Amino acid sequence: MRSHYCGSLTALQVDTEVTLCGWVNRRRDLGGLIFLDLRDREGLVQVVCDPDEKALFELAYTLRNEFCIQVKGKVRARPASQVNADMATGEVEVYARELVILSKAAPVPLDSNQNNSEEQRLKYRYLDLRRPVMTERLKFRAKVTSFVRNFMDSHGFLDVETPMLTRATPEGARDYLVPSRTHKGKFFALPQSPQLFKQLLMMSGLDRYYQIVKCFRDEDLRADRQPEFTQIDIETSFMTADQVMAVTEQMIRELFQQQLQVDLGDFPRMTYADAMRLYGSDKPDLRNPMQLVDVADLLKEVEFKVFSGPANDAKGRVVALKVPGKAEAISRKDIDGYTEFVGIYGARGLAWMKVKAVGQGIEGVQSPVAKFLSDDIVNDILSRTEAAAGDILFFGADRYSVVCEAMGALRLKLGEQHGLTEQGWKPLWVVDFPMFEQGDDGQLMAIHHPFTSPVNPDPAALQQAPEQALSNAYDMVLNGTELGGGSVRIHDPVMQATVFRLLGISDDEAAEKFGFLLEALKYGTPPHAGLAFGLDRLVMLMTGASSIRDVMAFPKTTTAACPLTDAPGLANQAQLAELMIELKKE
């Protein structure tokens, strides 16, 4: 039906007869002429309707936004004074000779000025996706997936599908359950990831696997989470952690170079301990130069319990965060706002200190907590933080986890608000994660998942000091966002049993939930390792979108609902009876 895309026309096609199909983006009636901006997925082109073509002109007069039409005509160069440098096709226009209305459009329920709520945009997603910015994002996403497939194929990886209907396994989030009609009272689960299947593929001898795959997690949502999302899933046999990191880093570097003409350079490595110590986050944004500075040892003897309490608690932390040169720019009202902000993360307050002069003790600072400190302590704090006149310090004092989370978030907020965060790209690897963390009940929990190998592959050493064990895991971070994470997997049955035991998973529970994996481990399992990237997050970052919902064709809302299809919906009684399900009234 068409010979060219609207957005593909250039001066090379001048005097060429073309047939175009698309949507009316705008109609301008200038009296003697009607101009149409005709749009398809490749962009816009101007179409000229001349009154000399009487029937065509009269038909063009009836057109409204989003009418779907076909135009036949000749490409001609625009006069120099009318060239539109803001359009890719701005040097040319199409003089229409034939016009066909393929489909009329009712008044569009979305505001063309984009004063639309996200609910409206998702309800009429097929209209929202016609916007050039949305079309470009989906086109870019297609280029990313194409690049990944080509890269993986060229490096000997095999694209292997894994099941969508499997059994529920504990992987950190709630499963989406699917009742079985043929096995009464039993349920499938949609996979949170292909973790166990990709390990089984390694045991099968398919030593390099990848898959661009849907994953499902029934969890609380936010900007970078969805109930269904897409992973670039990678697994290898006979490769070390360093080798997995090298090939995946190469893939991301080449992707950015090809699609954005950005050279990310070599990725530095940072231990988890250093990331938490300096930035309060295991995914630090290195574009922001501010760092947390520990000062607990300087405050153990002060009478101010807000400081001395956590300073003397083995599970506490006291840090200072210096904001250079912003003492005057940050008002008391701003500080009150920051105090409310850290409260979101459990902090019970936010102490501060403005530096007027260095080396003068209490006299050189302005702070409501200065009266609790000696001259020597103030001088030591300013020396350790390398503070100068005009700087302001913020203090976090609480449990270690609260301080990290609250002050890490405050660091990011201050960096953005006060122009301290650089533009550009700052990647890194975060390595040497702890194997376990302790829950509120004292029970150990896996930081990544229960199939992650410790750095020291000795089960006896792990059993003896699990809280000190480091996992052979690695996360790729870019601009404060985790792009992907992975680990070396456990291939020794004794080590796997040890990890399960430390996690409080009994032998019977392990056999019931992971029996097929434990059985497979008996038959010559190769050492294997892998990594999974969040495709949605990756595309979100590369396109500058603020949410992964803006790089997915049909996402859900933050309540895991679809306004377009009104999903989830009700099942009828016959379906429920067939599945032996009865709904309870609230």
Side-chain angles (χ1 to χ4, degrees):
M1 292 181 68
R2 64 182 168 200
S3 61
H4 295 74
Y5 280 108
C6 298
S8 69
L9 297 180
T10 69
L12 296 176
Q13 280 83 42
V14 168
D15 292 330
T16 301
E17 294 287 340
V18 297
T19 303
L20 308 176
C21 293
W23 288 266
V24 176
N25 194 67
R26 187 170 60 142
R27 191 202 72 181
R28 288 166 289 142
D29 186 354
L30 302 185
L33 294 171
I34 291 177
F35 291 93
L36 308 175
D37 287 342
L38 189 61
R39 185 192 71 243
D40 60 19
R41 78 172 204 192
E42 295 302 319
L44 298 166
V45 70
Q46 179 171 280
V47 176
V48 181
C49 300
D50 194 301
D52 289 347
E53 308 284 346
K54 186 176 179 181
L56 181 147
F57 189 82
E58 290 177 354
L59 188 58
Y61 187 77
T62 68
L63 298 179
R64 298 292 182 270
N65 287 2
E66 300 308 320
F67 273 38
C68 186
I69 65 174
Q70 180 190 59
V71 172
K72 295 182 180 180
K74 178 178 284 190
V75 180
R76 64 186 189 185
R78 289 198 198 187
S81 61
Q82 296 178 18
V83 169
N84 186 344
D86 295 329
M87 289 175 63
T89 60
E91 293 183 320
V92 299
E93 61 189 10
V94 175
Y95 184 84
R97 299 190 190 279
E98 293 182 37
L99 171 63
V100 178
I101 296 177
L102 301 173
S103 179
K104 294 182 179 181
V108 177
L110 294 181
D111 180 359
S112 61
N113 294 319
Q114 301 313 314
N115 296 318
N116 302 300
S117 67
E118 187 170 58
E119 187 83 9
Q120 288 174 298
R121 289 178 54 211
L122 295 182
K123 181 175 179 62
Y124 299 100
R125 189 62 162 182
Y126 44 88
L127 297 177
D128 187 52
L129 291 178
R130 291 183 190 176
R131 291 192 296 136
V133 64
M134 296 300 296
T135 303
E136 288 302 314
R137 286 171 180 163
L138 293 187
K139 286 166 60 181
F140 187 89
R141 181 181 176 124
K143 291 177 181 178
V144 171
T145 57
S146 177
F147 173 89
V148 169
R149 293 188 190 282
N150 289 332
F151 182 92
M152 290 279 101
D153 292 346
S154 68
H155 284 75
F157 287 81
L158 302 176
D159 183 356
V160 184
E161 292 184 353
T162 52
M164 282 291 118
L165 293 175
T166 181
R167 65 172 298 139
T169 55
E171 293 188 39
R174 288 182 295 270
D175 288 307
Y176 278 101
L177 298 178
V178 181
S180 170
R181 178 184 59 81
T182 53
H183 300 275
K184 303 296 186 185
K186 294 186 176 181
F187 295 81
F188 293 106
L190 300 179
Q192 294 186 33
S193 78
Q195 181 61 49
L196 299 183
F197 286 106
K198 64 186 179 185
Q199 290 189 244
L200 291 172
L201 288 172
M202 296 304 102
M203 299 172 193
S204 305
L206 302 174
D207 64 316
R208 291 194 175 197
Y209 142 94
Y210 84 96
Q211 186 181 185
I212 298 178
V213 60
K214 282 286 186 186
C215 302
F216 306 86
R217 293 178 188 173
D218 185 7
E219 59 187 346
D220 295 333
L221 305 179
R222 57 182 185 231
D224 59 349
R225 284 184 177 172
Q226 281 280 291
E228 52 179 322
F229 58 95
T230 306
Q231 275 187 185
I232 303 170
D233 209 44
I234 300 168
E235 196 77 8
T236 69
S237 296
F238 310 114
M239 288 180 70
T240 64
D242 286 341
Q243 290 172 321
V244 172
M245 292 163 73
V247 72
T248 51
E249 178 178 323
Q250 180 187 353
M251 182 180 76
I252 295 301
R253 286 178 60 185
E254 290 185 11
L255 172 65
F256 271 72
Q257 186 69 60
Q258 184 183 105
Q259 299 300 329
L260 298 181
Q261 292 74 55
V262 168
D263 182 3
L264 293 176
D266 293 329
F267 292 17
R269 295 191 184 187
M270 180 182 296
T271 65
Y272 171 87
D274 282 345
M276 299 303 291
R277 177 175 61 86
L278 296 173
Y279 304 104
S281 170
D282 61 359
K283 46 181 185 295
D285 187 347
L286 298 186
R287 297 173 304 162
N288 182 328
M290 292 186 292
Q291 296 181 346
L292 306 183
V293 178
D294 285 290
V295 293
D297 59 309
L298 303 177
L299 299 167
K300 288 186 175 182
E301 306 302 325
V302 301
E303 295 182 6
F304 189 43
K305 297 298 183 184
V306 171
F307 282 171
S308 61
N312 287 284
D313 185 347
K315 295 184 179 180
R317 189 180 187 193
V318 185
V319 301
L321 175 65
K322 179 184 71 176
V323 188
K326 300 299 179 182
E328 293 300 321
I330 295 177
S331 67
R332 186 55 193 266
K333 181 180 179 181
D334 294 330
I335 293 172
D336 291 342
Y338 296 141
T339 303
E340 291 183 16
F341 176 75
V342 296
I344 297 171
Y345 302 92
R348 288 169 288 185
L350 183 67
W352 55 275
M353 180 182 290
K354 291 187 176 184
V355 183
K356 297 183 291 184
V358 176
Q360 298 181 14
I362 297 173
E363 294 300 319
V365 299
Q366 176 192 352
S367 171
V369 300
K371 60 187 177 184
F372 300 107
L373 310 177
S374 68
D375 287 339
D376 287 344
I377 289 176
V378 170
N379 288 336
D380 287 345
I381 290 173
L382 298 187
S383 174
R384 183 171 295 181
T385 58
E386 300 181 354
D391 296 347
I392 180 172
L393 304 179
F394 289 101
F395 296 88
D398 211 305
R399 288 182 294 114
Y400 186 90
S401 59
V402 171
V403 170
C404 288
E405 194 168 1
M407 297 303 288
L410 180 63
R411 170 183 170 269
L412 296 177
K413 187 178 185 69
L414 289 165
E416 288 293 332
Q417 284 190 346
H418 296 282
L420 299 173
T421 301
E422 302 170 7
Q423 297 299 309
W425 305 95
K426 287 291 182 76
L428 80 153
W429 287 102
V430 178
V431 298
D432 291 344
F433 288 82
M435 269 291 282
F436 307 108
E437 61 183 350
Q438 202 169 58
D440 293 336
D441 57 358
Q443 176 63 52
L444 293 179
M445 300 181 296
I447 290 283
H448 281 79
H449 54 64
F451 315 108
T452 298
S453 174
V455 172
N456 181 358
D458 180 3
L462 180 65
Q463 181 71 48
Q464 187 173 4
E467 67 283 350
Q468 298 175 18
L470 297 178
S471 65
N472 205 347
Y474 33 84
D475 281 1
M476 184 187 289
V477 177
L478 181 63
N479 291 5
T481 296
E482 179 193 329
L483 285 187
S487 66
V488 173
R489 322 303 187 186
I490 296 171
H491 71 282
D492 173 20
V494 177
M495 176 61 80
Q496 188 64 78
T498 301
V499 170
F500 281 160
R501 189 160 51 250
L502 290 169
L503 293 173
I505 300 174
S506 68
D507 291 344
D508 288 344
E509 184 182 1
E512 196 274 327
K513 292 180 176 177
F514 308 110
F516 59 95
L517 178 72
L518 299 178
E519 179 70 14
L521 283 172
K522 299 176 182 177
Y523 302 106
T525 298
H528 55 289
L531 184 146
F533 289 103
L535 175 63
D536 311 295
R537 278 190 216 170
L538 176 61
V539 177
M540 177 185 73
L541 277 180
M542 295 183 76
T543 59
S546 59
S547 164
I548 62 171
R549 292 190 290 277
D550 282 336
V551 297
M552 304 170 79
F554 300 103
K556 306 293 190 294
T557 66
T558 53
T559 59
C562 176
L564 173 65
T565 61
D566 203 23
L570 298 173
N572 62 47
Q573 281 303 120
Q575 290 173 308
L576 294 175
E578 202 171 32
L579 295 168
M580 297 183 65
I581 291 176
E582 182 178 351
L583 298 182
K584 285 186 175 181
K585 293 183 178 180
E586 289 190 39

